[in-house]
Amino acid sequence: MRHLLDTTDLSLEEIDDMIKLAMDIISDGKKYAHVCDGKKLATLFFEPSTRTRLSFEAAMMELGGNVLGFSEAASSSAAKGESVEDTVRMVSCYADIIAMRHPLEGAPKVSSFKSGVPIINAGDGGHAHPTQTLTDLLTIYREKGRFDNLTVGLCGDLKFGRTVHSLIKAMSRYENVSFVLIAPKELQVPDYIITDVLEPSGAKYVQVEDMESEMPNLDILYMTRIQRERFFSEEEYLKHKDAFILDMPKLENAKQSLTIMHPLPRVNEISTDVDDDPRAKYFIQALNGKYIRMALIISLLKWGGALE
Ligand code: CP
């Protein structure tokens, strides 16, 4: 049985296959309408979500399967003190596959030891969000047709932004990808991303504090929200909350071929007037999340022998 706990659980070949499967689903969704007939997905969300939970549920429904689960810890027996391992052990008796979001880093991994079915990490604290990364990769593939020879700007809260950590891990495995890490010093990527991911990969990277200087070089600009819920004090959050706001004047020197991405939700870091620019792809990115999650559900169930 396979789980998806971090992006690196998948080989590059498996990612390629999943992207191809998602592209086929996009071109002929009807072909997949009964692939998961009789199967159940449980969504165990101990933290708020709109896109990830609902796109997982829509994905399973479009595959002919059913969904069950909860959207907050307060409505589960976690509120009575049940451990996450016990919860997963129970739910794996009721469902064929589980997508879990949890505020504690490593909770999906710990749960996977007790689970009888595949566990998908749908975001664990500030650590990782591998299905967002698959969403991002499908978006990059659809926009650029490749993953290599790209300059990727990541902007905002790079310290707590788990989508950024997962995306760097994924993109640094491809050839000639350069990273521009745009953040205030206090919100730069954790040290392990430099020492354990970027340095060993040999990928070029720069760390800067302003958005405009590197804008003309970027093929992709990945904006992120300042993660209010992960700050230790409101004062610290308020200091950084308006650190970067992408608006049309800031795009003046950007490439016409730039792809602007954001995992969403947006607070104020992208001005709404950018939404109408053809380079803004963040809402299409959210739609891609449903297609790649359909491909992921099929793949994990097949690898586990639950689907032919
Ligand atoms: N991108 C993302 O994880 O969004 P949600 O928090 O709404 O699931």
Side-chain angles (χ1 to χ4, degrees), residues 276-291:
D276 296 328
D277 190 289
R279 293 169 290 188
K281 300 295 179 189
Y282 27 92
F283 292 112
I284 294 169
Q285 188 182 349
L287 173 61
N288 287 335
K290 182 184 71 175
Y291 298 127

Side-chain angles (χ1 to χ4, degrees), residues 171-223:
M171 288 298 288
S172 61
R173 296 162 88 188
Y174 295 97
E175 291 296 315
N176 197 28
V177 174
S178 303
F179 296 93
V180 179
L181 306 172
I182 308 161
K185 276 199 176 67
E186 299 94 320
L187 296 184
Q188 265 296 346
V189 291
D191 289 346
Y192 85 89
I193 292 289
I194 302 288
T195 56
D196 299 357
V197 182
L198 287 169
E199 297 285 359
S201 76
K204 287 191 211 127
Y205 68 92
V206 289
Q207 293 177 288
V208 298
E209 290 191 67
D210 76 296
M211 188 191 274
E212 287 91 331
S213 61
E214 293 284 337
M215 187 68 87
N217 302 323
L218 303 181
D219 298 305
I220 293 166
L221 174 58
Y222 193 94
M223 295 295 298

Side-chain angles (χ1 to χ4, degrees), residues 34-42 57 59-68 94-97 117-118 297-298 300-302 304-308:
H34 296 287
V35 168
C36 286
D37 279 357
K39 300 294 177 202
K40 290 185 286 261
L41 164 77
E57 294 185 357
M60 192 49 151
M61 288 175 191
E62 290 194 22
L63 293 170
N66 292 299
V67 295
L68 64 161
Y94 312 141
D96 301 285
I97 186 163
V117 301
I297 290 168
I298 293 172
L300 285 174
L301 289 177
K302 277 193 176 166
L307 281 185
E308 283 181 13

